[in-house]
Amino acid sequence: MTLEETIAKLVDANHILAQERVVDAFGHISVRHPERPDRFLLSCSRSPELVTPRDIMEFTLDGIPVDAAGRKPYFERFIHGAIFAIRPEVHSVVHNHSYDVIPFAVSKTPLRPVFHGAGNLGKSMPVWDIRTKFGATNMLVNDIDKGRDMATALGSNTVVLMRGHGCTVVGQTIEEAVLSSVYLQVNARLQTTAMQFGDVSYLHDDEIDVMQAARAAAPGNDRAWEYLLARSRR
Ligand code: MN
């Protein structure tokens, strides 16, 4: 994709995440720069629903704006660069405070895939606690050291939950990061409902392996993106 096409898709992704209530006034999505793998693109500090191409800023992986042009960046831009720096195959990162997901970041109950749409989320969704290394903070990933610590907790996984805060989701494409974020929220709702009925049958590890091996070619990905995009434009 060209830079212009990448920015257009990133704007669409902002609008989809807002429509699905994965993000509200807060939360953001980035994409690795298509020509400069050592840089990434992310909106300035705006609610995702309102983001336009002119809001998209370019950053170094340390979170330094290349040309701010008067725009104010998100405090938590360091989440994105820190992950791009250690995960070369990741091309898009979503950070959000989904209210359905947070209960699993603050309790002892692991969040695990319960339905096929969430198989790509993987077998493990670790919880990162900012307090372990940084003590009492305002909970925000507002410098590169905190970003790197969170990225280390993410490791090779797709999702990292953030205690008292939210979560971060990665993908090899914008579409993959958006779909995983949407279906993470759906999975959290379904798991919460199922747990009220008693013991839950989660997806088995070998089933998750099958789905993750075929993730790029998963049937329905294009259909899901088209559906979500249409919903966001209504
Ligand atoms: Mn946040």
Side-chain angles (χ1 to χ4, degrees):
M1 283 201 292
T2 66
L3 178 59
E4 195 178 351
E5 289 165 344
T6 303
I7 289 173
K9 182 148 284 191
L10 184 60
V11 170
D12 285 344
N14 272 272
H15 298 165
I16 288 172
L17 293 170
Q19 168 65 30
E20 302 307 317
R21 302 290 186 265
V22 171
V23 296
D24 46 24
F26 305 101
H28 23 85
I29 176 169
S30 65
V31 63
R32 196 186 290 273
H33 194 295
E35 295 151 14
R36 295 274 316 242
D38 59 340
R39 292 187 179 171
F40 68 94
L41 306 171
L42 175 73
S43 173
C44 65
S45 181
R46 289 199 89 183
S47 297
E49 183 169 326
L50 305 175
V51 166
T52 70
R54 287 191 311 179
D55 298 317
I56 303 301
M57 299 174 64
E58 184 176 329
F59 295 91
T60 68
L61 298 189
D62 289 338
I64 311 293
V66 173
D67 179 10
R71 295 167 295 182
K72 193 176 113 197
Y74 291 122
F75 284 125
E76 293 198 287
R77 59 192 180 277
F78 305 100
I79 289 171
H80 303 265
I83 292 174
F84 288 129
I86 65 161
R87 293 281 299 270
E89 85 288 10
V90 166
H91 284 263
S92 185
V93 175
V94 175
H95 168 62
N96 71 77
H97 309 152
S98 168
Y99 303 134
D100 298 300
V101 174
I102 287 175
F104 294 93
V106 298
S107 66
K108 297 275 185 262
T109 301
L111 182 52
R112 293 175 57 187
V114 293
F115 83 123
H116 69 93
N120 280 348
L121 301 177
K123 287 179 273 198
S124 170
M125 296 185 236
V127 178
W128 174 66
D129 191 337
I130 193 170
R131 190 178 182 90
T132 304
K133 182 161 181 190
F134 300 98
T137 65
N138 64 0
M139 309 303 287
L140 300 182
V141 183
N142 53 9
D143 63 44
I144 191 64
D145 285 344
K146 296 184 183 105
R148 286 177 182 145
D149 194 51
M150 195 212 71
T152 300
L154 169 71
S156 60
N157 296 291
T158 298
V159 176
V160 62
L161 305 179
M162 303 157 75
R163 197 268 303 167
H165 183 166
C167 62
T168 297
V169 182
V170 302
Q172 295 188 12
T173 62
I174 289 176
E175 289 92 332
E176 193 178 276
V178 167
L179 295 179
S180 290
S181 301
V182 169
Y183 288 108
L184 174 66
Q185 178 171 265
V186 172
N187 191 88
R189 282 182 201 149
L190 294 176
Q191 185 176 341
T192 300
T193 302
M195 287 174 66
Q196 294 169 37
F197 298 158
D199 287 342
V200 178
S201 293
Y202 296 95
L203 293 190
H204 294 268
D205 284 355
D206 54 358
E207 294 166 340
I208 292 172
D209 286 340
V210 169
M211 282 182 264
Q212 285 209 300
R215 55 195 303 166
N221 277 0
D222 291 348
R223 198 164 85 195
W225 177 263
E226 186 180 49
Y227 162 76
L228 292 168
L229 187 60
R231 269 168 66 86
S232 75
R233 288 176 172 171
R234 255 179 229 146

